[in-house]
Amino acid sequence: MNDAAPAPTPAPAPRKRARVRAPELIGKGGWLNTGGKELTLADLRGKCVVVDFWTFCCINCLHVLDELRELEEKHRDTVVIIGVHSPKFVHEADHAAVVDAVERYEVHHPVLDDPELATWKQYAVRAWPTLVVIDPEGYVVAQHAGEGHAHAIAKLVEELEAEHAAKGTLRRGDGPYVAPEPAATDLRFPGKALLLPSGNLLVSDSTRHQLVELAADGESVVRRIGSGERGFAGDGFSEPQGLALLPDGRVVVADTVNHALRVLDLETGAVETVAGTGRQWWQGSPTAGPALEVDLSSPWDVAWWQGKVWIAMAGVHQLWTWDPAEGTVEVAAGTTNEGLNDGPAAEAWFAQPSGLAAAGDRLWVADSETSALRYVHATETGYAVTTAVGTGLFDFGHRDGDAAQALLQHPLGVTALPDGSVAVCDTYNHALRRYDPATGRVTTLATDLREPSDAVLVGDDIVVVESARHRLTRLRLPEEAVRVDAVAHRTQRAATEVAPGTLRLDVVFRAPSGQKLDTRYGPSTRLLVSSTPPGLLAGGEGAGTDLFRELELNPDVTEGVLHVSAMAASCDDDPANEYPACHVHQQDWGVPVRVTADGASRLPLVLAGMDDEG
């Protein structure tokens, strides 16, 4: 028997990180939030830099902005977050619109406006959002696509801080962020509006985290509801959006960034939470149950229809319902897959539904990322979804005429009109459009509206929320349409050239340091693949649990879009911890591809980590 003390177990060696020299940050639009200074990577040497490739239409990008706030505050003397705005829609390439978005979403770090996707291409980015970590010596050490990576980046930052403090290459101190001057307006980027029984108007003043009651003139402030600071307790809100009147006279509010529904008592001003936990819904979470026990995800609008409150759940591309009588919520339509597929409600695909309007037997939906107008209707076997205007994620523009060829650009609001037609707040076209189901035609009612996001009928007038002009604008419903020049667009991302035949799809995922894939309850990964047009793939579509797939390309189809959705769950790798912390990482990609003889036979998509074969 050996009484000697056992030798201590050596600490595991730190995982060796790949290091690639970071390309320079360039963008034709220049820099925001720097006090006019042009930044270079040399200016950031000595800091841990997190580059956030985002675009302001994208709900996942907005989720990541919120995920990064804690990291930004906790490591403010060592970490610099740099936003690189990389537009999808034509409107998002407008510099003034980027300036507005940076203020609207309270982005408190420098932002590079890259309208031509120059830096996006240099970093080989394929999806919004993508996060790239650059170490204090200017090397790329990690890349993450999608949501749920803040904890992994925080862990990596701590490792980089320790490593570079020891090397003497870490520089502490304030970063380059310079706050812009605040503007004095009664409303700041208002989202939605509601006509109250009193004749007054209630407006969600989204950037100021309040509700504002205006007099019937739409200008005079009667009262403000909410503290004006981000919050969830009491009457606090966080970027509230949709509003709907309940049969009992109270108002339900889509408290978007709090991932909750709140109810306002108009008489007392009291605010009550009726659905949501304040946490964001993730894959695998409950999709039905007691309303205060089920997580929601960025509810953007609400409408009372067929005895329930319907919710445009933008964050997961679905419609949900809240039943006030039963106190429950449940999914009503959509699969969480992002796209435009009609059919039975449980099989339909949406893409960031952001506006709702009830009209008799139809619930109209502004489906923003597909630039589409859609509706839900009852059938003998349940509900179904039908598209009235719009073709998919990558086609948009401003074109009137027959609905089959008409185009919108990222609409956020829809309003039922007395004649059975609907008005659409065609947000990125700065226009109010009209679709008439009787004729199947789309017309333009008004132009020169700045990012209209909602509209309400007031007598013979329509009051439009001009979000980027910070006001309500009253218009007389015109008898004749405005004539506009037709414009059609497709997203400007270059297609990836792939070889005909078999294409190896690899979703790259490296569990964060100190974590491993969570296999306690079965497979911890999921991969879903489809294509537009469907005939692009001769094999390999569908769902599976491996993060790789052999795709067979149809030789008769030479271009299209591969739709890839991936999810991975990781947990703390500590056998002694009975309740390890677990995290979900997920992302959807829409990858334009072109089949060419000398194209690639492998398509890597980085969910987290670095592509060792790249």
Side-chain angles (χ1 to χ4, degrees):
M1 183 174 180
N2 188 347
D3 294 330
T9 303
R15 182 166 52 182
K16 187 175 182 179
R17 287 186 291 268
R19 299 175 84 217
V20 177
R21 178 63 72 178
E24 190 54 81
L25 303 173
I26 53 174
K28 188 175 180 181
W31 288 89
L32 304 175
N33 285 354
T34 63
K37 178 180 173 59
E38 297 288 315
L39 292 182
T40 67
L41 284 176
D43 298 323
L44 304 174
R45 197 61 52 82
K47 298 287 190 180
C48 303
V49 179
V50 179
V51 183
D52 176 17
F53 290 89
W54 68 298
T55 189
F56 62 77
C57 72
C58 161
I59 190 68
N60 311 92
C61 299
L62 304 186
H63 289 167
V64 167
L65 285 176
D66 288 308
E67 288 180 5
L68 292 176
R69 294 186 198 280
E70 182 179 351
L71 175 75
E72 196 166 26
E73 179 60 30
K74 184 177 179 180
H75 298 272
R76 60 188 312 157
D77 67 331
T78 58
V79 171
V80 174
I81 295 175
I82 299 291
V84 177
H85 188 267
S86 312
K88 171 187 174 182
F89 290 99
V90 169
H91 170 61
E92 293 175 307
D94 176 359
H95 182 70
V98 180
V99 173
D100 284 346
V102 168
E103 180 189 350
R104 180 194 297 266
Y105 298 115
E106 296 184 302
V107 180
H108 293 165
H109 50 252
V111 173
L112 175 63
D113 181 11
D114 183 18
E116 297 176 347
L117 303 182
T119 295
W120 166 287
K121 294 170 185 173
Q122 287 293 311
Y123 280 78
V125 175
R126 295 186 185 273
W128 298 277
T130 291
L131 298 167
V132 176
V133 181
I134 302 173
D135 73 12
E137 293 180 291
Y139 289 91
V140 174
V141 293
Q143 181 172 325
H144 304 265
E147 302 178 49
H149 301 293
H151 70 286
I153 292 175
K155 178 73 173 176
L156 176 56
V157 162
E158 291 172 357
E159 293 176 358
L160 292 173
E161 286 174 341
E163 176 184 338
H164 288 273
K167 292 174 65 175
T169 50
L170 183 70
R171 177 167 56 90
R172 296 184 178 274
D174 292 337
Y177 170 68
V178 178
E181 288 293 322
T185 54
D186 286 333
L187 301 174
R188 206 69 192 162
F189 298 104
K192 304 289 186 180
L194 174 68
L195 179 64
L196 298 176
S198 66
N200 288 350
L201 291 155
L202 188 66
V203 183
S204 54
D205 197 17
S206 302
T207 296
R208 293 210 176 112
H209 315 297
Q210 291 181 316
L211 308 181
V212 179
E213 184 176 346
L214 300 176
D217 62 9
E219 297 180 4
S220 306
V221 175
V222 175
R223 61 173 167 166
R224 294 181 178 275
I225 300 153
S227 65
E229 301 290 335
R230 288 181 186 273
F232 192 36
D235 63 355
F237 296 99
S238 188
E239 298 181 30
Q241 286 285 341
L243 307 165
L245 198 64
L246 295 172
D248 63 10
R250 297 182 301 162
V251 174
V252 61
V253 182
D255 195 3
T256 305
V257 178
N258 277 329
H259 309 295
L261 297 189
R262 321 290 291 284
V263 165
L264 166 67
D265 187 314
L266 289 168
E267 291 187 6
T268 65
V271 176
E272 175 189 4
T273 301
V274 295
T277 62
R279 298 184 300 270
Q280 182 183 339
W281 185 94
W282 291 96
Q283 290 287 352
S285 300
T287 55
L292 290 170
E293 298 175 13
V294 177
D295 299 338
L296 308 181
S297 182
S298 296
W300 206 274
D301 204 5
V302 282
W304 180 261
W305 188 57
Q306 299 205 346
K308 295 180 181 180
V309 171
W310 287 66
I311 309 163
M313 201 71 77
V316 285
H317 317 300
Q318 291 179 313
L319 303 181
W320 289 41
T321 58
W322 168 55
D323 186 336
E326 299 294 329
T328 57
V329 292
E330 64 179 348
V331 174
T335 64
T336 75
N337 296 324
E338 184 179 15
L340 192 152
N341 283 348
D342 289 343
E347 301 172 14
W349 291 20
F350 293 93
Q352 216 168 298
S354 301
L356 299 175
D361 61 355
R362 290 184 177 181
L363 178 70
W364 293 97
V365 183
D367 200 28
S368 62
E369 281 293 290
T370 53
S371 298
L373 173 65
R374 309 174 74 184
Y375 61 91
V376 181
H377 53 103
T379 68
E380 292 182 357
T381 57
Y383 291 106
V385 178
T386 300
T387 298
V389 183
T391 59
L393 284 165
F394 301 102
D395 296 292
F396 53 91
H398 191 154
R399 186 163 63 197
D400 288 335
D402 184 77
Q405 55 86 48
L407 294 172
L408 308 169
Q409 186 179 180
H410 198 81
L412 290 179
V414 60
T415 306
L417 300 179
D419 64 357
S421 65
V422 289
V424 180
C425 286
D426 194 7
T427 309
Y428 287 3
N429 281 326
H430 309 299
L432 188 67
R433 312 285 293 282
R434 176 177 178 263
Y435 167 69
D436 185 353
T439 64
R441 295 186 65 80
V442 175
T443 55
T444 297
L445 297 178
T447 58
D448 192 31
L449 299 167
R450 188 69 181 171
E451 292 192 15
S453 55
D454 197 20
V456 293
L457 286 174
V458 181
D460 294 330
D461 297 338
I462 189 165
V463 175
V464 180
V465 179
E466 279 198 271
S467 189
R469 282 200 177 113
H470 320 294
R471 70 186 188 191
L472 304 188
T473 297
R474 186 182 297 261
L475 305 171
R476 181 56 56 95
L477 275 172
E479 296 180 1
E480 295 185 3
V482 177
R483 292 189 178 276
V484 296
D485 294 330
V487 179
H489 301 290
R490 282 185 65 82
T491 185
Q492 297 303 300
R493 286 183 297 160
T496 298
E497 294 191 349
V498 297
T502 301
L503 177 66
R504 165 81 179 201
L505 171 66
D506 282 320
V507 174
V508 178
F509 179 76
R510 303 285 183 267
S513 177
Q515 295 204 333
K516 65 178 181 179
L517 287 173
D518 179 15
T519 57
R520 292 172 299 164
Y521 308 108
S524 60
T525 55
R526 186 190 71 159
L527 180 64
L528 178 69
V529 180
S530 63
S531 66
T532 303
L536 175 65
L537 288 178
E541 69 274 13
T545 57
D546 292 323
L547 291 181
F548 60 89
R549 187 81 57 84
E550 299 285 342
L551 306 180
E552 294 298 327
L553 299 175
N554 184 343
D556 298 326
V557 180
T558 58
E559 63 179 332
V561 178
L562 291 175
H563 304 284
V564 181
S565 177
M567 184 271 289
S570 62
C571 291
D572 290 342
D573 187 10
D574 181 1
N577 185 354
E578 186 178 356
Y579 302 104
C582 297
H583 305 273
V584 176
H585 318 257
Q586 62 185 40
Q587 173 63 3
D588 296 331
W589 290 268
V591 184
V593 296
R594 182 180 301 112
V595 181
T596 62
D598 55 352
S601 59
R602 176 177 178 266
L603 176 62
L605 300 176
V606 177
L607 179 60
M610 299 283 283
D611 179 22
D612 296 335
E613 298 182 40

